[in-house]
Structures are given as structure tokens and as C-alpha cells.
Amino acid sequence: MEEKMTLITVEKEMGKAYKGLRFLLESLNEVLIENGEEDIAKYIPWINHDQLHETSITPKIIQLYSLIFQMVNMVEINNAVQNRRSMEETDLAGVNGLWASNLKDLKAKGMSEKEIIPILKEISIEPVLTAHPTEAKRATVLEHHRELYLLLVKLENTMYSQHEKANIRNTIKLSLYRLWKTGEIYLEKPDVESELRNIVHYLVNVFPEVIPIVDQRLEQAAHILDLNKGAIQSNHAYPKITFGNWVGGDRDGHPLVTSEVTQNTLLHLRLNAFVVIGRKLNELVRRLSFSIPLEKCSNDYQKRIDEMVTELGERGHQALHRNVGEAFRQMISLMIAKLPVDTERGHATKLSNIQGAYIHSSHLRRDLGLLQKELLDYGAKSTAYEEVTSALRIVEVFGFHLAALDIRQNSDFHDKAIGQLLKAAHWEESSYIDWDEEKRAAFLLAELQHARPFVHVKTPLDSEAKAVMDCYRTIEAHTAIYGFNCIGSFIVSMTRSFSDLMTVYLLAKEAGLTFMSEEGLVSKIHVVPLLETIEDLENGPVILEAYFSNPIVQRSLKYHQEQQGHKRPMQQIMIGYSDSNKDGGIMSSNWHLYKAQYKLAQLGEAYNIDIRFFHGKGGSISRGSGPTHYFIKALPYKSPNGNIRLTEQGETIAQKYAHKINAAFNLELLVANTLSKTLLDKSKERSYHENADIIEWLAEESKNQYTSLIKSDGFIDYFRAATPIDAIETSKIGSRPSKRTGANTLADLRAIPWVFSWSQASYHMTSWYGLGSALKKLKSERPKEYQELKQSIETDAFLRYVFTNVDSSLVATDEETMKLYSELVPDTSLKDLFLSKFLDELKLMHQHMDDLSGKRIEERRKELYFSNHLRAPLMYSLHKKQVELLRRWRMEKPQNPVAAQNTQIELMLTINAIAGANRNTG
């Protein structure tokens, strides 16, 4: 930890941003004093004294610091929003990565309107919201944060008088006090239902308001850059934005996700889709108060109105007569009447099977399209292209399912399920899990030649087979009524072979999720490999070539193409950023991901299959986080190809999407850069990375250094002593266990707590370890290549992305804190050995980053540097307290479990506070 930095210092360097922090700190100080808490108010840092008050860190102080870190984060987000606004006032294309800057760049590279607009319609992005054991804050606290942020924005609005601003300030004080009095940590592990409620909040209350903003900004950018805004509107040339969800569907190592949970999730999502659509249609009916009798409308329009009334019966007649003489309102009222929900005071309360109700969202889209055409014929062009398009977009984005639910399970679990099905069917050989790949593949392909199931639906099954069959049968029953839009993909974790994928086809056949065409079996579900480890990424092309060559797969992909209206067959492939990093470190992980995507995209072209990469990214640098526009530009040739899916995990969702304007910014980055990358790739010949030889060498050398560390004798003992991994494993943060099977090994530990624990101790080693030694060796042994690397870092998208992320981690890594946690290691020789390895590697990394960039870290990452150093003194106090609590808790556990439980609650407070300061948990 370097010299303490005061708020005054940071205000001088960074300006207005931190004046908002001073205001919040002073408001908190006032409200605490007003409520008789002067004793805690005096410990608010930066405003009462130039330096921090020296004090013993009590639970109250931990809570205070935790709240202050959240305030710092909030002020920084707001400042980023205001800075972008200021830049766009001067030049809409002035903010890198957004619609205007990307369209301007495309035009400068010779792209015409005729090339850009058709591709706009083909762009498809899908953020997939996941809970994962990463969100350390309770949903209630997140809601209070959202309220406080909106008040902070409101206060900056110049339209309010001084008296009104005084009222807003008072409301802010109340909001701060509410946060102060609300417990931040989970005392009980959250269930899947509470995690789902948090996800649904964003899908119902945030994203429906954000989609129109992203579309409007596209139109504004097109207009300013002399592209035809009217052509975008008349061709409905908006990118396809949809959402996915893992909560209630991801059962990999998560026994709480049962078939009942999945069924309830699907129904809950469906009900809330109608909440979103009903809200939009009610808004539309209020606005379309045009005076036009039904008789003046086209024959097609009148005919459809008559059909809707007939379909609905008495409800239809009531809706029709509600707005006589207002034909547009009459149709929208009938649309509302056809939503299959019961309503109370205008709010959808439960799903209902009413007569004449819509079943599929395509029927509502068709009716909205007819309404839009009628408005255009009437002459209300602006209303047709703005009000009705906005409603159409909501239906396109959310459908009747809100978000597509993925089903994920581990390949080992599937293997056990197949063995248990064979056992239940009294097969002679049921030890499927022991068969080699050749025998498995032959068996699977033979069984997939016919429709015969193994067992009767009522046959008792052992645990894995029962769990899989219950899940698959639940999905079959739901999709038989509502269609497959509600289901995303069936993802196979730890895909190691061709048989791992075909196993899912056999399980799907058993549950009725396949059918026999004239050519043979076809799967209704989309099976997706998840390539997680470095070995899996290397083997991916071989696995997928065997898969693409299979006639059953080819028929199934063709069926999905026809169902979804795609131009070509499409195969989704999920790639994991977490486990590959855990395997080989930051450079090796990123390079193996790059190579796998390049080869798999090439393989797709050879088989005339579009590859949709699903990026399994997390909230930390080690798990794929980083600037979105840098990330997309760094992808290999035709990796996006107009189509990208990625996970948004844990606290990342709140950071990116809790506030409407910030949410619009993050979505816009995703769609605008996918468009740009896709068009630029289409205009070029396929090419590999021009610095591939240097990067390959760096990746291998850094991996050797990294794996030498993690495979060293005593490393696991050091890791488990010098980080709070044991406290994290027993925490109440997420509903999913931190280990896959419960074994006490590095291989079994999920990547999320692995990264979380290192970041808690301020090592952040998963984002830099091994690369410093590799750079040192490159410079000494291959000086020419080192100079080539130095020249390429600023201009090459892949290198810039990786090294920018490494730099971000270096800012957050603190030597003094690392030393502090190392004191928890009881074996002195072990402590000295590994601490010296970390410190030596960190020194090398700093030296080479300074050399490669030609700047000190405080120059090249000024905002991040000052932000982290403002937090540092508070964090160091919390780290000291956490180390003290870890030492006590570990001693109490075997001797005094009751005392240990009380200590753990205080320990969790420190974990939560440090996670807030780090801005992620892993």
C-alpha cells in the first residue's frame, strides 16, 4: 500500500467526479448525527479529517466502509455518464465504441448505406443473465442503491429550484440512512427463487426502457452521419436483441435446481413477459386517441378486428365498444384482451387460459404489423415508426417468454444418467461410464436410429437418471403448449468428446424431445458444447468436426434453421473464460480462446454452418471481463459474424444495468461493435493474427511459469491459508455450491471462488502471474520480437485488450496487503517461498508494463489509479481486520463452533466490504 491519498488530492486531480462523493459523505454525516449516531459519524473518512481516524475496526466500522465504497462506485458511474454526455454534446461520435463512432468509422473505411443497413437487421446479440455464487449484495440492498443513484442524478438537474434541491437532499439523506440500517450480507443462503426475482427485476423494469433508447440513438447517429434514417425505419432494420437466463435452468453442480424449479421458472418468466407487453400496449392505447371510425379503415384491418372479436367472444365485444370511433385504440384494446392473463387494476396477476387468447408472440407481432400499416395508410408516419415500432420491438425482444432459459448439466452427470437408464431397462452392460469413446459412440448412434425409449415413463430411476428425465419431461410438456422460444440451449459442461454431445440426443429421445422424419431422428432441442479448459479448447475443432459430420446433427440443425427462419444452419458453441484462465493464466487463456474461435469459425464455413459463439465471461479480468468494445474488436476473424451471446454474471449485472442510462450504454457497446466487427470482417479475406508467433511463445512461456507455481508442492496449502477461500466456501452468497463435487482439490474448486479469494487478499494473481517472467525472457532472448510486441500493443486489438486488462489488475494489486495475508501461513518456509515468487513476478510485471507502454501506471490508467488509491487506506484497515478474523475463526471452528459462527458473520462483513471496494467478487 502506497502513501495515503486524501479526497482533496483526488478532487484536485480528477475534478467534479469526487465532489459528488463529498456531498454524499456530508449527507451521511448529517443524517447519522440527526439520528443520534455521532459516535459512528466521526469515523466517516475524508471529510472530518485529512487523514483517516485510527480506530479499531468494529462491525459498525466495516458496515460504514462498505457503504462508503458503494457510494464511491455510484459517484464514479454517474461521472462516467456525465462525461459521455459532455463529449457527445460536442460530437455524437466522440465517445469511442458507440453507434455514432462505429458508423463514422465504417463510412471512413468506404462502407455505404446499402452495405450497412441490410447487415443491421442481421445483427443478433443475447446477454444471458446468471446468478452464480458472485453477487455478494442482497437484492434489497441493490434496490436501495438504485434509488439513491436516481436521486443523485436528479440533484444535478438544473431545472430544480434551491427549495426543491433541498427536498431532494433530504430524500437522499433518508435513502442513505435506510441503506445504513439494512443488513448487506446474506445470513441465510439465498434460494433460486430469490435469485430469479433479482434477474426478473432487470428484465421487467430496466431492459424494456432501455431498448427504445438504443434504437433512438441508432437513428440519431444515422441522421447525423447522413445515413438514411427513414430506410432504417421502413425496413425495420434494428439489431435483434434478446435475453437469456440461467437461473432455474443451470443445474451443473446445483442440486437445488429441480424440475419443479425449472417449471416454476418458465411460468414466472412467461407471466412477467405479459407484464412487460401489457404495460407497453396500455401505453400505446393511451397515445393512439386518433379519431377514425372503423368503417374508414381498410378491408384487411376490419376483417382482422372481426376475427379478434369472434375469437374472444364476450370479452371481444366489450373491448370493441370501449373506444367507438377510435379504430386504432379498438384494435389495441383487443390485443390487450387477447393476452392470456388475469388482471387486477390493470396489472397481470396470473396466467390464464381465456378464450381466444394469444399462444405465440408471432400472432401479436402480426397484429401490430397490421396496425402499423394502417397508420401509414392513414398518414401517421411518425406514430407508426416510433410508437408502434417501439411496441413491436418489445414483443420481438421479450416474446411471451421474457428470456430464453438455458439448461446446463455436466457431461459426467449425463454419463451416470445413461448408465442408470440402461440398468433400469435391464441391459446386460449398464456400466456406460466405464466404456471407451469408440464403444459409447457406436452405442449412441445405434440407439438414435429408432424412436424406442429405454423405460416406461413410470419406471423408477436412480438419482441422476431421474433428475435428467424429470427436467427433460418438464420441458417437453411446457414446449408442447407454448413452443420452443422459451428454451435457449442444452449446454454440456466439460464437453470432452463427440459422445458427450450425442448423449444429450439420447436423453432427449427418451423424454419425447425428438421426432422421426423420413430421413431419421431429429432433435427439437439445440445441444451446445461448453469448452472450458485449455485442453477442451484445443480439442474443440476435432469434437465439432465429428459432430457436424453426423447426419442426425445435420438434420437437427436444418430443422432449427427452418423453425427460426435463419439463412443457414446455426450451431452455438460456448467457450469458458474462467477454467481456461485457472488452467494456464491470463495470456495462455486468452490466446487459446482466440485460436479455438478462429479454427471453429473456419470449420463452420467448411460445413456451411454459422457458428454462434457463447462467451462464458465473468465479472473479473481473470474471467473475461474488460471493456466491451475492446473485447469485440479483439475477437478473431468472423468470430462474431453478426451473432454474439455472452453471460452477465453476478454483480456485473448490477454494475452494468442497474441504472437506465448506463444500461443503454452497455447494450449499445455490444450491438454497435458487433455490427462494426461483422462488416469489417466481411470486407476482408480470412487472416490469422499477424503477431501469432510472438503471442504463441508468450502464451506457452507464461503458462509454464503459472502452472509451475500452482503445481508446486505446498501451493494448495499456501492458497488455503493465505486467502479467505475457506470462509468463501461456507458463505451465504449464492445458491450454488462453490465446489463441483465437494473434493478439496484445485481441480474441483470452481473458478469463481478461486478468483474471488485471490482478489480478497489483493493478489489478483490470476490476471498477471507468469506473464512478467515470459516478457523478461522474450526481451533477453528475442529482443527483436520484444520490440515488435512493443510497437503492436497500441494498434493491435487483441494485444491491447489483454494488456489493458492486465494493467487494470496491476492497479488493484497491493504488495503490503499480500504480505499481510501471507502471515496466515503457519509454515514459515512455505510462506517465504511463495510470497517471494509472487512479489518477484509482480515486480517484473510492473517493469515490463512501464517499458512496453513508455508510461508509469498513474499516467496510463489515471482514473483507475486515483480511484484505487483513494480506497486503499480504508481497504488496508479492512484487510487487517479480515486477517485477524480469519486467524480467530480458524482456531474457533474445531474448539468452539458457536463462537466461530459469530466470528463468521463479522468475517462475511469484511468479505462484502472488500468485494464492494474491488467492484467485483470474481
Side-chain angles (χ1 to χ4, degrees), residues 372-389:
Q372 187 175 56
K373 181 179 180 301
E374 199 67 24
L375 278 161
L376 287 169
D377 292 344
Y378 175 75
K381 183 179 174 182
S382 57
T383 301
Y385 284 146
E386 293 183 29
E387 306 281 13
V388 180
T389 291

Side-chain angles (χ1 to χ4, degrees), residues 167-267:
N167 287 334
I168 295 168
R169 180 188 173 105
N170 191 58
T171 310
I172 285 173
K173 285 164 61 176
L174 290 171
S175 182
L176 285 167
Y177 191 67
R178 197 176 301 119
L179 265 171
W180 170 245
K181 286 297 184 183
T182 303
E184 285 214 43
I185 63 167
Y186 287 110
L187 297 178
E188 296 297 329
K189 212 166 180 62
D191 56 19
V192 179
E193 287 78 6
S194 64
E195 290 177 335
L196 181 63
R197 281 195 299 273
N198 192 39
I199 296 294
V200 166
H201 166 84
Y202 293 94
L203 293 167
V204 171
N205 299 313
V206 178
F207 294 125
E209 294 187 23
V210 164
I211 300 298
I213 297 172
V214 175
D215 289 349
Q216 286 160 12
R217 286 179 56 81
L218 167 62
E219 292 171 1
Q220 284 174 337
H223 177 69
I224 285 170
L225 294 165
D226 296 322
L227 294 169
N228 191 343
K229 171 184 168 182
I232 293 173
Q233 293 177 327
S234 59
N235 287 289
H236 200 67
Y238 301 97
K240 184 182 180 186
I241 300 172
T242 51
F243 295 93
N245 169 43
W246 273 20
V247 179
D250 179 16
R251 53 229 322 121
D252 178 12
H254 199 332
L256 299 177
V257 181
T258 62
S259 59
E260 291 80 10
V261 166
T262 296
Q263 173 67 1
N264 290 337
T265 298
L266 288 167
L267 293 173

Side-chain angles (χ1 to χ4, degrees), residues 285-338:
V285 82
R286 284 195 300 272
R287 292 180 177 179
L288 285 184
S289 56
F290 300 180
S291 181
I292 174 174
L294 190 54
E295 305 80 56
K296 292 283 184 73
C297 294
S298 68
N299 288 335
D300 286 347
Y301 192 82
Q302 291 185 54
K303 182 182 175 185
R304 180 55 187 150
I305 292 276
D306 289 341
E307 288 173 356
M308 294 169 85
V309 171
T310 302
E311 287 163 4
L312 285 164
E314 182 56 33
R315 282 167 62 91
H317 287 287
Q318 289 174 3
L320 183 68
H321 291 106
R322 197 168 295 140
N323 301 107
V324 176
E326 297 174 337
F328 302 138
R329 273 185 162 177
Q330 285 177 303
M331 178 169 246
I332 303 163
S333 294
L334 287 164
M335 292 179 199
I336 293 168
K338 284 175 73 65

Side-chain angles (χ1 to χ4, degrees), residues 541-818:
V542 175
I543 296 168
L544 269 297
E545 181 150 30
Y547 187 68
F548 291 158
S549 304
N550 184 269
I552 298 167
V553 173
Q554 291 171 356
R555 284 194 298 271
S556 299
L557 293 181
K558 183 71 175 172
Y559 168 75
H560 299 149
Q561 176 195 353
E562 292 165 356
Q563 292 294 303
Q564 294 163 12
H566 293 152
K567 290 182 178 178
R568 300 201 305 173
M570 187 275 290
Q571 173 64 48
Q572 188 182 136
I573 300 173
M574 187 171 183
I575 50 176
Y577 287 67
S578 308
D579 283 278
S580 57
N581 177 273
K582 188 161 83 108
D583 278 358
I586 189 79
M587 180 57 82
S588 179
S589 169
N590 276 277
W591 184 237
H592 278 90
L593 286 159
Y594 184 99
K595 290 193 294 183
Q597 288 173 81
Y598 185 87
K599 291 173 184 175
L600 289 166
Q602 195 171 25
L603 183 67
E605 285 183 343
Y607 280 87
N608 196 37
I609 294 169
D610 286 333
I611 304 298
R612 184 186 209 189
F613 286 107
F614 180 11
H615 302 268
K617 290 154 57 70
S620 64
I621 298 300
S622 312
R623 300 187 49 246
S625 182
T628 299
H629 50 309
Y630 282 13
F631 162 69
I632 293 173
K633 286 180 169 67
L635 294 172
Y637 181 82
K638 284 198 174 178
S639 167
N641 203 23
N643 205 328
I644 196 165
R645 201 171 192 244
L646 74 171
T647 52
E648 299 285 19
Q649 296 183 354
E651 79 288 334
T652 307
I653 300 170
Q655 285 173 9
K656 285 186 173 182
Y657 302 116
H659 315 302
K660 189 168 67 174
I661 299 301
N662 209 43
F665 166 72
N666 282 292
L667 269 187
E668 187 177 339
L669 282 176
L670 201 51
V671 286
N673 287 282
T674 302
L675 170 73
S676 185
K677 172 71 174 165
T678 300
L679 277 164
L680 291 173
D681 280 355
K682 283 181 184 290
S683 69
K684 298 185 292 194
E685 292 295 315
R686 171 174 286 281
S687 61
Y688 200 42
H689 200 290
E690 64 181 4
N691 299 113
D693 291 343
I694 299 173
I695 300 170
E696 182 75 44
W697 190 92
L698 270 179
E700 190 61 28
E701 286 293 330
S702 61
K703 180 190 173 191
N704 291 342
Q705 191 75 15
Y706 176 88
T707 53
S708 171
L709 173 79
I710 65 172
K711 291 181 179 178
S712 299
D713 289 342
F715 173 76
I716 295 298
D717 292 334
Y718 183 90
F719 164 62
R720 296 199 68 84
T723 75
I725 180 60
D726 46 349
I728 289 165
E729 286 171 342
T730 56
S731 72
K732 311 295 183 183
I733 289 173
S735 67
R736 203 171 80 169
S738 61
K739 295 178 184 175
R740 285 189 164 93
T741 66
N744 199 21
T745 64
L746 185 57
D748 192 63
L749 183 69
R750 293 189 187 277
I752 298 165
W754 161 254
V755 174
F756 190 7
S757 51
W758 286 116
S759 68
Q760 279 281 307
S762 205
Y763 281 69
H764 300 280
M765 58 79 71
T766 52
S767 303
W768 52 263
Y769 194 90
L771 187 53
S773 292
L775 288 167
K776 179 185 177 183
K777 193 172 180 181
L778 183 70
K779 188 175 183 179
S780 62
E781 296 182 6
R782 304 184 177 202
K784 184 183 174 187
E785 291 181 356
Y786 184 85
Q787 288 305 314
E788 285 178 34
L789 177 72
K790 192 171 184 176
Q791 289 166 8
S792 299
I793 276 181
E794 286 302 314
T795 55
D796 179 77
F798 175 81
L799 290 169
R800 181 181 59 184
Y801 176 66
V802 174
F803 279 96
T804 296
N805 286 343
V806 170
D807 225 9
S808 297
S809 289
L810 290 178
V811 175
T813 304
D814 184 69
E815 285 189 31
E816 293 304 313
T817 308
M818 292 163 71

